[in-house]
Amino acid sequence: MAVSGEKRTFVGKKSMKILRLLMLCLLASACTETGHEVWRLHGAWTLSHVEHPIGTEYDFSLEDEPTFCIVYDGDSLLYTCQLAKTPSGLVVVPVDKSSVTLIDKGGGELLYLEDGDPHPLTVGPDSVITIQRRGVQYTWVRADDIFNEWGPELRRLISDDLQHRSDAPNRYVLSARERRQERTIQGFTFLIGFVVVLALFAVYVALTNRRARERLQLQLRQIQEVQENRQPTVWQAVATVENSYFASDDYAALQRRMAGGQRLKADDWSEVERQLRTVYPGFTSQLRSLRPLSELEYEVCLLIKLRIAPKDIAQVLARDVSTISTVRSRLYAKVFGTKGGAKDWDAFILSLGT
């Protein structure tokens, strides 16, 4: 029994360790997903104050004189340079590049390892950090304007200079004028690219519309040829079917509903389409092949084919008579590419499928 109890205790401790490890992994994952939020030092900082143990203090301002600037790449790399700000840009003297490790000891206490050399570090309010080196406290203030404008250039310049430096440090000038010219060129390049893409899109739309018009004209010619080449006996048969349908009880019932302004439900429209296919087998397919139609346009065309008066169409579809007239004339212009009246469209619809 004692062995069993020890085994349970061992398993319990092991489970707790695994649970703690999983929690640490989840916490690390959450910190990684937040991206830049986990970086405490990322960005540019300029030296603003130095305090020696004997009480000597010095203040620095980038607006008045050259000072040191450190640029962090995350919390892992540190680039150091001397920096002078002038109306025409920045004067940069590269100094050093080093690896950085930031250790959180808890309770707000941080340890800062620069190339393995430990230094106490304090992150203060108002974007201020204090780093202690051999008893001397160096206070740095965040310089977002420099980092946002010149951060990548400073890191690249310092790295290249240290890699190829032979003797004394070099001085570099980052020109604000050249930066403005570069931005102008980039903006102009973007504008040209946008215009080119827009022109290509316009050409694509024009070609697509042209092919659609050619296809539509071909369909219209085919419809016309079928009608012109139809034998008199076929015309007589079509007329017989039409006369029979328009004299039927189904059509009389439909007309009464239309005259009464009664709205048609989905099942009613299905019945209307069925009756049309019985009399005009190719009408709906010819109609839909011409161009995409809205629901309103399609319903108007069906009712025109059924010889329903425009005022009754307006009542059934709960639209003004003027709206129905506009729909018909607009459809004619879309299909034929020329201006036409509502009656012109009616005549075309009546000719389809016969």
Side-chain angles (χ1 to χ4, degrees):
M1 295 294 292
V3 174
S4 177
E6 290 176 359
K7 186 179 292 186
R8 285 196 299 270
T9 302
F10 173 75
V11 173
K13 290 182 178 179
K14 188 175 182 179
S15 299
M16 290 299 294
K17 288 182 179 179
I18 295 175
L19 181 60
R20 291 194 188 98
L21 181 60
L22 288 174
M23 292 179 65
L24 289 175
C25 291
L26 289 174
L27 180 60
S29 175
C31 291
T32 302
E33 289 176 357
T34 56
H36 291 202
E37 294 179 4
V38 301
W39 294 338
R40 303 194 186 193
L41 304 179
H42 184 71
W45 307 75
T46 56
L47 183 63
S48 65
H49 186 76
V50 176
E51 183 176 347
H52 292 268
I54 59 176
T56 307
E57 299 182 17
Y58 301 95
D59 290 320
F60 301 89
S61 174
L62 187 59
E63 303 298 331
D64 302 328
E65 56 188 341
T67 186
F68 283 92
C69 176
I70 52 179
V71 181
Y72 290 96
D73 189 353
D75 286 339
S76 59
L77 288 177
L78 169 64
Y79 301 81
T80 306
C81 64
Q82 283 185 303
L83 200 66
K85 195 173 185 180
T86 68
S88 60
L90 295 179
V91 179
V92 183
V93 179
V95 175
D96 195 12
K97 175 183 176 182
S98 55
S99 62
V100 172
T101 303
L102 186 63
I103 301 175
D104 191 344
K105 300 176 65 177
E109 186 178 357
L110 300 172
L111 189 62
Y112 176 84
L113 299 180
E114 187 175 320
D115 282 341
D117 188 14
H119 306 287
L121 180 143
T122 303
V123 179
D126 300 327
S127 300
V128 173
I129 59 174
T130 301
I131 303 174
Q132 188 178 116
R133 291 188 176 91
R134 299 179 182 84
V136 181
Q137 289 190 348
Y138 298 86
T139 301
W140 306 80
V141 296
R142 185 179 289 278
D144 288 335
D145 56 337
I146 293 176
F147 183 76
N148 294 334
E149 182 74 16
W150 305 103
E153 283 85 352
L154 287 173
R155 293 197 297 262
R156 184 171 59 251
L157 186 152
I158 295 171
S159 294
D160 293 345
D161 180 83
L162 295 175
Q163 184 177 358
H164 301 96
R165 179 188 298 176
S166 56
D167 297 317
N170 299 308
R171 294 167 60 89
Y172 301 90
V173 176
L174 297 178
S175 173
R177 179 180 179 182
E178 291 181 0
R179 172 53 61 84
R180 289 193 296 268
Q181 291 176 344
E182 180 182 349
R183 288 178 175 173
T184 301
I185 293 173
Q186 290 176 348
F188 187 67
T189 302
F190 174 79
L191 180 60
I192 292 177
F194 176 77
V195 171
V196 170
V197 171
L198 190 62
L200 291 175
F201 179 74
V203 171
Y204 169 77
V205 172
L207 291 176
T208 302
N209 290 337
R210 179 179 177 180
R211 286 194 292 266
R213 286 195 299 270
E214 291 174 351
R215 179 182 59 82
L216 179 60
Q217 291 172 358
L218 177 61
Q219 289 175 322
L220 292 175
R221 285 197 300 269
Q222 290 174 344
I223 292 172
Q224 184 178 6
E225 289 175 0
V226 169
Q227 292 174 340
E228 290 177 351
N229 296 328
R230 184 168 289 170
Q231 298 298 322
T233 55
V234 177
W235 283 111
Q236 185 177 0
V238 171
T240 301
V241 173
E242 283 182 332
N243 294 334
S244 176
Y245 170 70
F246 289 122
S248 67
D249 294 336
D250 289 339
Y251 182 70
L254 179 63
Q255 275 199 319
R256 286 195 296 271
R257 294 188 65 178
M258 298 292 177
Q262 184 177 352
R263 299 292 302 273
L264 299 183
K265 300 179 182 179
D267 293 341
D268 298 325
W269 284 111
S270 298
E271 177 62 20
V272 168
E273 289 181 318
R274 187 194 66 77
Q275 294 180 23
L276 277 173
R277 282 194 296 269
T278 301
V279 184
Y280 310 108
F283 171 72
T284 55
S285 60
Q286 286 182 348
L287 178 63
R288 289 192 178 277
S289 68
L290 295 175
R291 62 173 299 107
L293 299 175
S294 67
E295 183 179 358
L296 174 62
E297 292 172 338
Y298 181 66
E299 291 173 351
V300 168
C301 293
L302 294 185
L303 297 180
I304 292 172
K305 189 64 175 176
L306 288 173
R307 313 294 201 276
I308 304 300
K311 63 180 182 63
D312 293 333
I313 294 177
Q315 281 188 325
V316 171
L317 299 180
R319 297 292 200 279
D320 293 335
V321 176
S322 60
T323 301
I324 301 302
S325 177
T326 300
V327 169
R328 291 145 65 203
S329 58
R330 185 174 62 232
L331 281 171
Y332 186 90
K334 286 181 179 180
V335 170
F336 291 95
T338 58
K339 188 176 180 180
K343 291 185 178 180
D344 296 324
W345 180 251
D346 294 350
F348 174 69
I349 289 295
L350 292 175
S351 69
L352 286 179
T354 57

